[in-house]
Amino acid sequence: MGEVFQQVLSIGQSCRERHQARRFFGKNSGRKGVFDWQITPTDALLQYMSRDFSGMLDLADLEVKDGQVTNIRFGTIHPHEFSPTKDIAQQYPKVRANHDRWCAHALSVLTNDRSALFVLSYPVPVETIGEITEAIARLNPRKRFLVLNGPEGDSEAIWVGDDAVWDKHLSHFEIRPTALARAGYLYHRLRNNISRYTGNRGRTARDDL
């Protein structure tokens, strides 16, 4: 049995670690966060935390660069939220609303008192792990957590990476959500199923988990 945490959150640099964490630990192991949807350089991750996730997606900072909508101020790239062939300003209100909600989810995991495993997609220097650890500790000094570096030897052939590499990488850990978190997950699953049967195309469980 590996080290046990109550929740897991991807903290950059891409959506790879979110996919792998949900695959390995299960869909109820943690909520969706803003880093699940974008490419986030480590410097931008630190900016998110130092700014309490505020002011990180302003319309004036967004441009199409190399075929993708990019935040030229912070260096984040947004391939899932924006279509580069459509007007950014027209897409912005809906994207911003989702971004703010996902920021709130991520910030809640970073600041609550539940133990947490924070996972990176790709390896970074030990010094960078130290910076991220200090930034999280400032948000909640009481929190028990671990920043897990990205695995060595992962495949770049497909966006999800190598399942075998991630299985070995994550096998040292176990996620045991609290009873309240499990109940919340089941509640949102129920809402989602009801929405499907009633034809409601509005907000569903997928927005919150």
Side-chain angles (χ1 to χ4, degrees):
M1 181 182 298
E3 187 173 2
V4 177
F5 294 94
Q6 294 171 309
Q7 54 193 339
V8 59
L9 180 73
S10 62
I11 54 172
Q13 305 85 344
S14 71
C15 53
R16 173 176 295 190
E17 74 275 21
R18 172 62 175 177
H19 166 81
Q20 290 292 345
R22 285 170 67 86
R23 181 189 65 80
F24 189 85
F25 295 120
K27 292 183 178 180
N28 67 335
S29 56
R31 303 181 72 183
K32 288 180 180 177
V34 67
F35 307 119
D36 300 339
W37 303 96
Q38 63 188 41
I39 297 171
T40 310
T42 304
D43 287 346
L45 167 66
L46 294 171
Q47 287 286 342
Y48 267 94
M49 290 190 283
S50 68
R51 294 168 176 265
D52 289 331
F53 287 70
S54 178
M56 294 297 297
L57 193 72
D58 291 339
L59 179 59
D61 297 328
L62 301 175
E63 293 183 3
V64 176
K65 184 177 179 182
D66 297 328
Q68 299 189 88
V69 175
T70 302
N71 187 319
I72 59 172
R73 183 180 180 190
F74 296 110
T76 55
I77 303 174
H78 303 268
H80 298 296
E81 306 105 298
F82 287 99
S83 169
T85 61
K86 297 179 180 178
D87 182 69
I88 294 176
Q90 290 183 349
Q91 301 176 77
Y92 181 76
K94 181 178 180 180
V95 172
R96 176 60 187 268
N98 287 333
H99 182 269
D100 288 350
R101 185 169 71 253
W102 294 326
C103 278
H105 291 180
L107 185 59
S108 72
V109 176
L110 286 158
T111 57
N112 66 33
D113 287 335
R114 299 173 188 170
S115 60
L117 179 67
F118 298 113
V119 187
L120 290 161
S121 291
Y122 310 110
V124 298
V126 174
E127 294 80 4
T128 302
I129 295 293
E131 290 183 78
I132 297 171
T133 299
E134 289 178 7
I136 296 172
R138 284 195 295 269
L139 292 172
N140 182 354
R142 302 181 305 277
K143 191 176 190 70
R144 185 177 75 83
F145 68 91
L146 176 70
V147 176
L148 181 63
N149 209 347
E152 298 285 351
D154 197 12
S155 171
E156 294 298 325
I158 54 175
W159 73 268
V160 296
D162 187 322
D163 288 354
V165 170
W166 280 93
D167 284 348
K168 182 178 180 180
H169 191 58
L170 298 174
S171 65
H172 305 288
F173 307 97
E174 182 180 350
I175 304 301
R176 292 183 193 167
T178 63
L180 182 61
R182 291 195 299 270
Y185 176 78
L186 294 174
Y187 169 72
H188 287 298
R189 283 289 300 274
L190 177 63
R191 283 180 55 202
N192 196 29
N193 291 334
I194 292 173
S195 295
R196 289 174 181 170
Y197 282 114
T198 59
N200 181 358
R201 300 302 179 185
R203 186 176 173 187
T204 68
R206 290 185 179 184
D207 296 317
D208 291 324
L209 297 176

